[in-house]
Amino acid sequence: MNKPLLAVLSSVALAGLGATPAMAAPHTAPHTAKKAAVTVDFAGTVSLSNCSGSVIRFPGSADTDPALVLTNGHCLETGFPAAGEVITGQSSSRTFGLLNSAGSKVATLRANQVVYSTMTDTDITIYRTTTTYAAIKSSYGISPLTVQDTHPAAGSAIKVVSGYWKKIYSCDVDGFVYRLKEGDWTWKDSVRYTSACDTIGGTSGSPVIDTSTGKVVAVNNTGNEDGERCTENNPCEVDQNGNVTVRQGINYAEETYIIPACFTTGNKLNLSASGCTLPKP
């Protein structure tokens, strides 16, 4: 994993401590044109004690809904979920530093529940906060980031926005990994970055934003640090035939398009909802 910062500072030897599409031009034009990039900054991102994250909403969320925060499963304050484990409805009082466009902290948000957390198939934790999107907008002028509900595209220009480090990485989606294996955990259909996104410890949980839409398409989570094969902090790629590829220095994220289908009115989790494919407890 892109280690949570405390793991980085305490010891690099602590094994297991986390870590633009073309658009058709008008028919009168002889060529296609690149869609103008959306400005991506820190507004709506958050800093955690050891990771990064973001305030998110789904296409069906309402302004009056409780605001949700997205980060990694391996950033969960109670420790890494085990392989096969899914946590829902767990009490939490975790705090998040809400950032404005310049990366300055403007408020502290507080969770009252871990709505969903797992490191199986994906690597996500979703917190419910004690406030609403409307209240955040009214008080601080900050809107949540919207999670795209369609699969990201290879070649898309993306930015990985770390609220912890106040740093934005720019690169492209290099491709998708059938299975990404790291230690005991296996993730499905992961995003592989081009080399420019050289994310580090503390960037775990950062939103991955498509610069053509400004929407969240993935959540940053890991990278192969030492060239090892399928060990903690050294994920390997496994294809449909079981062939293993190791790419030292390359980093990855977990797609988020499958999440919106699992949330219904009021930002309530419903793992039985039609189209929801997130792992169940």
Side-chain angles (χ1 to χ4, degrees), residues 163-184:
Y164 191 95
W165 287 116
K166 318 297 189 292
K167 180 174 181 178
I168 299 176
Y169 300 80
S170 300
C171 63
D172 295 336
V173 174
D174 186 51
F176 305 100
V177 181
Y178 177 68
R179 297 290 185 267
L180 189 65
K181 181 171 175 56
E182 180 172 343
D184 293 335

